[in-house]
Amino acid sequence: MPTIRPARLHDLSAITEIYNEAGVGTTASWALEPVTLEDRRAWFMSLTRKDYPVLVLVDADSIVGFASYGPFRPLAGWAPTVEHSVYIREGYRSAGGGRMLLNALIDYARGRGVRTMVGVIDGANDHSVAFHERMGFTQVGRIEEAGLKFGQWHDAVFMARKIDDGPPS
Ligand SMILES: CC(C)(COP(=O)(O)OP(=O)(O)OC[C@H]1O[C@@H](n2cnc3c(N)ncnc32)[C@H](O)[C@@H]1OP(=O)(O)O)[C@@H](O)C(=O)NCCC(=O)NCCS
């Protein structure tokens, strides 16, 4: 049975591998070059230092997925809105791991002042759009030809879900 826990520094090589496999060779992410372990270490430190989560999905002692969120926009007034991402290693997809990780991110975000989570998804990434719809996210916007990868324009689809309905505090 897979489990979820906060990522540790020694998980970063698996996270780097999953990100490069799932995100760089495809349009799941618009990174154009593989990221290095050092890049991921800087990313990990910049998030965790500010109490943003980096979670891993562990199956039989192997890291098979990770998820995180960080600021959607940098100005302080945007703090209630975060942008998340979820990556599952090839071969482990469609087995409920993405749902587990995203639910764990939502649990983490509740009680930390987060009101809305946003996924920014390549318009052609039908899997991720379908996954987010199943997870209660709705399409709230689309920027046509926002990105350029593999010599082609790509639309950015914004999918949001409100996770808290309380009054401002
Ligand atoms: C998108 C991704 C995170 C989804 O994770 P996953 O483990 O494959 O998805 P799950 O098995 O947890 O599915 C959760 C729900 O989404 C639905 N879903 C997932 N993929 C789907 C698809 N391609 N079409 C339709 N529904 C889909 C599942 O049916 C499930 O709903 P259910 O529980 O009601 O049946 C994963 O496929 C992935 O890492 N893809 C490559 C990287 C990527 O695109 N990341 C997102 C970047 S924004």
Side-chain angles (χ1 to χ4, degrees):
M1 182 67 187
T3 54
I4 289 177
R5 62 164 171 76
R8 302 175 194 135
L9 278 173
H10 71 254
D11 300 324
L12 287 175
S13 60
I15 288 174
T16 304
E17 198 181 293
I18 292 168
Y19 181 73
N20 282 335
E21 174 255 307
V24 180
T26 73
T27 55
S29 135
W30 291 351
L32 301 182
E33 302 289 339
V35 298
T36 64
L37 191 54
E38 268 316 300
D39 295 332
R40 281 284 103 171
R41 195 190 307 275
W43 161 85
F44 177 80
M45 297 307 291
S46 73
L47 289 178
T48 53
R49 190 179 295 135
K50 294 180 182 152
D51 197 29
Y52 291 119
V54 180
L55 305 178
V56 287
L57 181 70
V58 184
D59 187 40
D61 290 333
S62 292
I63 308 294
V64 298
F66 71 93
S68 64
Y69 70 69
F72 177 62
R73 302 201 71 198
L75 294 181
W78 283 91
T81 301
V82 296
E83 181 182 341
H84 68 275
S85 58
V86 184
Y87 288 88
I88 303 290
R89 195 188 279 282
E90 208 173 358
Y92 291 86
R93 295 181 191 148
S94 303
R99 176 183 285 280
M100 281 178 72
L101 274 170
L102 190 45
N103 279 336
L105 277 188
I106 291 168
D107 285 347
Y108 185 96
R110 287 201 172 113
R112 284 182 168 82
V114 175
R115 193 166 182 82
T116 300
M117 295 182 64
V118 180
V120 183
I121 302 165
D122 184 292
N125 190 348
D126 297 336
H127 295 286
S128 184
V129 169
F131 164 72
H132 280 88
E133 279 168 353
R134 291 297 289 172
M135 297 297 296
F137 285 71
T138 52
Q139 290 196 33
V140 292
R142 182 182 196 105
I143 302 177
E144 289 184 3
E145 301 182 352
L148 185 61
K149 186 167 179 178
F150 302 143
Q152 288 186 325
W153 297 114
H154 295 274
D155 293 358
V157 170
F158 290 72
M159 298 192 71
R161 176 175 159 186
K162 199 186 271 192
I163 61 162
D164 173 70
D165 274 323
S169 57

